[in-house]
PDB file of all heavy atoms in Angstrom:
ATOM      1  N   GLY U  51     209.917  -0.458  44.729  1.00 97.00           N
ATOM      2  CA  GLY U  51     209.684   0.747  45.413  1.00 97.00           C
ATOM      3  C   GLY U  51     210.195   0.695  46.822  1.00 97.00           C
ATOM      4  O   GLY U  51     211.028  -0.142  47.217  1.00 97.00           O
ATOM      5  N   GLU U  52     209.693   1.608  47.735  1.00 96.00           N
ATOM      6  CA  GLU U  52     210.177   1.705  49.102  1.00 96.00           C
ATOM      7  C   GLU U  52     209.836   0.488  49.794  1.00 96.00           C
ATOM      8  O   GLU U  52     210.634  -0.002  50.742  1.00 96.00           O
ATOM      9  CB  GLU U  52     209.571   2.958  49.721  1.00 96.00           C
ATOM     10  CG  GLU U  52     210.085   4.311  49.114  1.00 96.00           C
ATOM     11  CD  GLU U  52     211.516   4.427  49.235  1.00 96.00           C
ATOM     12  OE1 GLU U  52     212.142   4.149  50.292  1.00 96.00           O
ATOM     13  OE2 GLU U  52     212.175   5.051  48.241  1.00 96.00           O
ATOM     14  N   VAL U  53     208.701  -0.044  49.538  1.00 95.00           N
ATOM     15  CA  VAL U  53     208.343  -1.313  50.325  1.00 95.00           C
ATOM     16  C   VAL U  53     209.133  -2.391  49.889  1.00 95.00           C
ATOM     17  O   VAL U  53     209.622  -3.338  50.704  1.00 95.00           O
ATOM     18  CB  VAL U  53     206.889  -1.705  50.134  1.00 95.00           C
ATOM     19  CG1 VAL U  53     206.473  -2.874  50.856  1.00 95.00           C
ATOM     20  CG2 VAL U  53     205.955  -0.506  50.583  1.00 95.00           C
ATOM     21  N   GLY U  54     209.464  -2.535  48.564  1.00 97.00           N
ATOM     22  CA  GLY U  54     210.330  -3.547  48.109  1.00 97.00           C
ATOM     23  C   GLY U  54     211.796  -3.421  48.748  1.00 97.00           C
ATOM     24  O   GLY U  54     212.427  -4.487  49.027  1.00 97.00           O
ATOM     25  N   LEU U  55     212.214  -2.210  48.853  1.00 97.00           N
ATOM     26  CA  LEU U  55     213.445  -1.902  49.530  1.00 97.00           C
ATOM     27  C   LEU U  55     213.438  -2.471  50.950  1.00 97.00           C
ATOM     28  O   LEU U  55     214.446  -3.163  51.416  1.00 97.00           O
ATOM     29  CB  LEU U  55     213.786  -0.451  49.494  1.00 97.00           C
ATOM     30  CG  LEU U  55     215.023  -0.038  50.308  1.00 97.00           C
ATOM     31  CD1 LEU U  55     216.317  -0.591  49.804  1.00 97.00           C
ATOM     32  CD2 LEU U  55     215.116   1.558  50.306  1.00 97.00           C
ATOM     33  N   GLU U  56     212.424  -2.145  51.701  1.00 94.00           N
ATOM     34  CA  GLU U  56     212.231  -2.589  53.087  1.00 94.00           C
ATOM     35  C   GLU U  56     212.355  -4.138  53.179  1.00 94.00           C
ATOM     36  O   GLU U  56     213.169  -4.621  54.010  1.00 94.00           O
ATOM     37  CB  GLU U  56     210.943  -2.116  53.746  1.00 94.00           C
ATOM     38  CG  GLU U  56     210.712  -2.687  55.185  1.00 94.00           C
ATOM     39  CD  GLU U  56     209.345  -2.374  55.638  1.00 94.00           C
ATOM     40  OE1 GLU U  56     208.601  -1.479  55.008  1.00 94.00           O
ATOM     41  OE2 GLU U  56     208.845  -2.955  56.586  1.00 94.00           O
ATOM     42  N   LYS U  57     211.708  -4.802  52.248  1.00 96.00           N
ATOM     43  CA  LYS U  57     211.659  -6.203  52.359  1.00 96.00           C
ATOM     44  C   LYS U  57     213.103  -6.750  51.951  1.00 96.00           C
ATOM     45  O   LYS U  57     213.506  -7.890  52.473  1.00 96.00           O
ATOM     46  CB  LYS U  57     210.541  -6.863  51.392  1.00 96.00           C
ATOM     47  CG  LYS U  57     209.204  -6.228  51.722  1.00 96.00           C
ATOM     48  CD  LYS U  57     208.741  -6.440  53.156  1.00 96.00           C
ATOM     49  CE  LYS U  57     207.403  -5.835  53.426  1.00 96.00           C
ATOM     50  NZ  LYS U  57     206.980  -5.879  54.874  1.00 96.00           N
ATOM     51  N   THR U  58     213.666  -6.245  50.973  1.00 97.00           N
ATOM     52  CA  THR U  58     214.961  -6.660  50.577  1.00 97.00           C
ATOM     53  C   THR U  58     215.969  -6.542  51.613  1.00 97.00           C
ATOM     54  O   THR U  58     216.856  -7.374  51.855  1.00 97.00           O
ATOM     55  CB  THR U  58     215.371  -5.865  49.298  1.00 97.00           C
ATOM     56  OG1 THR U  58     214.432  -6.088  48.243  1.00 97.00           O
ATOM     57  CG2 THR U  58     216.719  -6.171  48.818  1.00 97.00           C
ATOM     58  N   GLU U  59     215.959  -5.261  52.261  1.00 95.00           N
ATOM     59  CA  GLU U  59     216.963  -5.062  53.388  1.00 95.00           C
ATOM     60  C   GLU U  59     216.718  -6.064  54.505  1.00 95.00           C
ATOM     61  O   GLU U  59     217.747  -6.490  55.137  1.00 95.00           O
ATOM     62  CB  GLU U  59     216.812  -3.715  53.870  1.00 95.00           C
ATOM     63  CG  GLU U  59     217.307  -2.638  52.857  1.00 95.00           C
ATOM     64  CD  GLU U  59     217.163  -1.223  53.335  1.00 95.00           C
ATOM     65  OE1 GLU U  59     216.385  -0.953  54.162  1.00 95.00           O
ATOM     66  OE2 GLU U  59     217.956  -0.383  52.950  1.00 95.00           O
ATOM     67  N   GLY U  60     215.422  -6.464  54.788  1.00 92.00           N
ATOM     68  CA  GLY U  60     215.202  -7.533  55.750  1.00 92.00           C
ATOM     69  C   GLY U  60     215.828  -8.799  55.456  1.00 92.00           C
ATOM     70  O   GLY U  60     216.385  -9.531  56.315  1.00 92.00           O
ATOM     71  N   ILE U  61     215.771  -9.234  54.142  1.00 96.00           N
ATOM     72  CA  ILE U  61     216.350 -10.501  53.716  1.00 96.00           C
ATOM     73  C   ILE U  61     217.837 -10.401  53.825  1.00 96.00           C
ATOM     74  O   ILE U  61     218.438 -11.366  54.405  1.00 96.00           O
ATOM     75  CB  ILE U  61     215.909 -10.820  52.239  1.00 96.00           C
ATOM     76  CG1 ILE U  61     214.400 -11.096  52.129  1.00 96.00           C
ATOM     77  CG2 ILE U  61     216.736 -11.951  51.679  1.00 96.00           C
ATOM     78  CD1 ILE U  61     213.756 -11.027  50.657  1.00 96.00           C
TER      79      ILE U  61
END
Side-chain angles (χ1 to χ4, degrees):
E52 294 299 321
V53 178
L55 171 64
E56 175 191 345
K57 306 308 181 185
T58 298
E59 290 179 333
I61 292 168

